[in-house]
Amino acid sequence: EAGVAQSPRYKIIEKRQSVAFWCNPISGHATLYWYQQILGQGPKLLIQFQNNGVVDDSQLPKDRFSAERLKGVDSTLKIQPAKLEDSAVYLCASSLSGSITGELFFGEGSRLTVL
Amino acid sequence: AQSVSQHNHHVILSEAASLELGCNYSYGGTVNLFWYVQYPGQHLQLLLKYFSGDPLVKGIKGFEAEFIKSKFSFNLRKPSVQWSDTAEYFCAVNAASSASKIIFGSGTRLSIRP
């Protein structure tokens, strides 16, 4: 079974530039999550989708971050303009359903460095 | 809002030593609890989870965790660690009232001396 795919694995940009990350969840998984993991900290939930609808985006900095999952499958997370403090690993995860009994499956992550 | 505390940032043990990693959460209602592990160069993966029933849960690779409701704790244990257990360990909590939102602790880095 293919896992959660993310790209790019690494990205270096200058502050005020924009960047986009892509995630393809495990086939059939209805729920998709984007987490931000800053060095030395645990993953912080940015946004959660159930199919193509947003369940929770309370911690997404909406002035600069946006995410979409238009067809209920793959998803894109965008940052525009980037700040130095956005340097982090952006993790995508998926689960079979919205039920918490479902295990979260994580991708390898996209490491962003903002200079 | 729920939160998770992992007070041990870095633990160093020798092989065959016993392990206990602390995890405390703050939430007064019903919770679901998890431990995730991230081995060097790999993605996060589920180690074990507690939803209900027996408060002592067993996971993969000989790990277990005990849910103590009165202490708001869910400590991870292993009687005898191996070098291959070197990894970062994250405790996570879901408040049963908040759909499937999972909050992670800051993690504990475990280093095993061969």
Side-chain angles (χ1 to χ4, degrees):
Chain A
E1 178 183 83
V4 175
Q6 290 189 247
S7 67
R9 289 292 310 280
Y10 305 93
K11 188 74 176 178
I12 301 174
I13 61 174
E14 295 189 349
K15 59 184 178 183
R16 291 187 289 274
Q17 287 187 321
S18 63
V19 63
F21 302 112
W22 174 82
C23 172
N24 190 28
I26 293 173
S27 177
H29 280 197
T31 308
L32 185 147
Y33 308 77
W34 282 103
Y35 282 87
Q36 179 194 58
Q37 187 175 17
I38 293 172
L39 188 65
Q41 299 181 21
K44 170 188 157 186
L45 180 66
L46 292 176
I47 189 167
Q48 176 185 340
F49 291 95
Q50 179 73 14
N51 296 308
N52 61 349
V54 175
V55 174
D56 188 324
D57 64 356
S58 57
Q59 297 199 85
L60 186 74
K62 298 180 185 65
D63 58 333
R64 299 183 300 107
F65 286 65
S66 64
E68 59 183 15
R69 192 184 185 199
L70 292 176
K71 296 182 179 179
V73 181
D74 56 348
S75 175
T76 302
L77 175 71
K78 296 180 182 177
I79 307 174
Q80 181 178 13
K83 292 186 175 181
L84 296 176
E85 59 260 36
D86 298 332
S87 294
V89 177
Y90 290 86
L91 298 168
C92 180
S94 69
S95 66
L96 191 57
S97 73
S99 168
I100 193 52
T101 57
E103 176 181 346
L104 260 61
F105 293 84
F106 283 86
E108 304 270 357
S110 294
R111 183 179 297 277
L112 173 66
T113 302
V114 182
L115 303 176
Chain B
Q2 68 265 33
S3 65
V4 183
S5 296
Q6 293 181 249
H7 302 294
N8 309 109
H9 298 293
H10 189 193
V11 173
I12 303 173
L13 296 172
S14 297
E15 276 195 313
S18 64
L19 168 72
E20 181 160 4
L21 300 182
C23 172
N24 288 91
Y25 66 92
S26 64
Y27 183 72
T30 302
V31 292
N32 302 303
L33 298 157
F34 310 82
W35 276 97
Y36 278 81
V37 61
Q38 187 167 27
Y39 297 104
Q42 298 186 27
H43 57 271
L44 276 161
Q45 56 187 286
L46 183 67
L47 198 56
L48 50 77
K49 59 187 178 184
Y50 170 81
F51 293 135
S52 63
D54 189 344
L56 183 63
V57 293
K58 296 189 183 299
I60 59 172
K61 303 187 180 183
F63 285 91
E64 64 180 31
E66 185 175 12
F67 170 49
I68 303 180
K69 189 175 181 179
S70 61
K71 294 185 178 180
F72 298 90
S73 70
F74 189 56
N75 292 355
L76 181 71
R77 299 195 294 247
K78 185 171 184 177
S80 176
V81 295
Q82 300 171 306
W83 179 80
S84 58
D85 293 325
T86 296
E88 186 137 22
Y89 293 81
F90 294 92
C91 182
V93 64
N94 158 257
S97 61
S98 66
S100 49
K101 179 176 180 177
I102 299 178
I103 305 298
F104 284 81
S106 57
T108 297
R109 184 156 63 101
L110 175 64
S111 300
I112 305 298
R113 291 189 290 251

